[in-house]
Amino acid sequence: ETPTFEAGKYYTLVAVGYARTAGTPRVKLQVYEDAIPDAGSNVAFRVVNLGTGLGSVNVGVTANSTDAIPGTPTFSNVAYLGSSAYVTRPAGNAWFRVQDGTAAEIVTGNGRQAPTGAAGDPLNNLTTIGGSGQAGSVVTAFVFPRSVAGSTAPSVTTPSLVFIVDKHPR
């Protein structure tokens, strides 16, 4: 299938699936249209589930790594290859607490914390770097599966998150 792109829109392209001949789902190009919101004085986040074999995930966002995971997820039931809507929250620390269908937290360690970014310094011609601590930022959290044992991929033994800044504040 050939993707269609429209001028003036933003897109994210990722390769997902298994490259080995025996693996399913087979590797393919997945395209997401990025309808980047204006976060105003907050920060906007969304979750994209690229976790082959993980099923749907729930993601709660907390201010600290030790806070209780919210009973109502911030991002609920994000299916494999699904993308949530953007959700805004005040600028500050943001820990993404990813749970599988059994409510077990499947991403551990410091990789759960969204990057905080850095304030700009116009006097020194430094632009603000977007992140959870910078109002006006828009960030996507991608959920990835563990790597396949025996593959040439780096050894990642648990699911992980990768954060991408979709929009830096001005």
Side-chain angles (χ1 to χ4, degrees):
E1 180 177 327
T2 303
T4 303
F5 301 103
E6 294 180 39
K9 292 188 176 184
Y10 296 94
Y11 299 89
T12 296
L13 287 75
V14 292
V16 295
Y18 296 108
R20 291 182 173 183
T21 54
T24 56
R26 298 291 305 141
V27 70
K28 71 174 190 168
L29 180 67
Q30 182 72 22
V31 179
Y32 297 92
E33 182 181 334
D34 301 331
I36 299 170
D38 178 358
S41 62
N42 292 307
V43 178
F45 293 102
R46 74 172 171 167
V47 171
V48 174
N49 182 358
L50 302 177
T52 304
L54 292 180
S56 295
V57 296
N58 290 324
V59 182
V61 181
T62 60
N64 298 293
S65 64
T66 55
D67 290 348
I69 298 173
T72 301
T74 310
F75 303 96
S76 185
N77 201 29
V78 183
Y80 172 61
L81 300 182
S83 174
S84 73
Y86 285 95
V87 173
T88 59
R89 58 181 278 127
N93 286 333
W95 287 79
F96 281 63
R97 315 292 293 282
V98 182
Q99 296 176 296
D100 64 10
T102 67
E105 191 169 6
I106 59 173
V107 177
T108 59
N110 289 337
R112 300 174 294 163
Q113 185 178 22
T116 56
D121 182 353
L123 226 57
N124 289 309
N125 201 27
L126 297 175
T127 304
T128 301
I129 299 170
S132 67
Q134 307 304 315
S137 298
V138 179
V139 178
T140 297
F142 292 93
V143 178
F144 284 95
R146 65 178 298 278
S147 58
V148 176
S151 73
T152 58
S155 179
V156 178
T157 58
T158 61
S160 59
L161 289 168
V162 173
F163 295 92
I164 302 294
V165 176
D166 297 322
K167 179 181 174 191
H168 297 275
R170 296 188 189 261

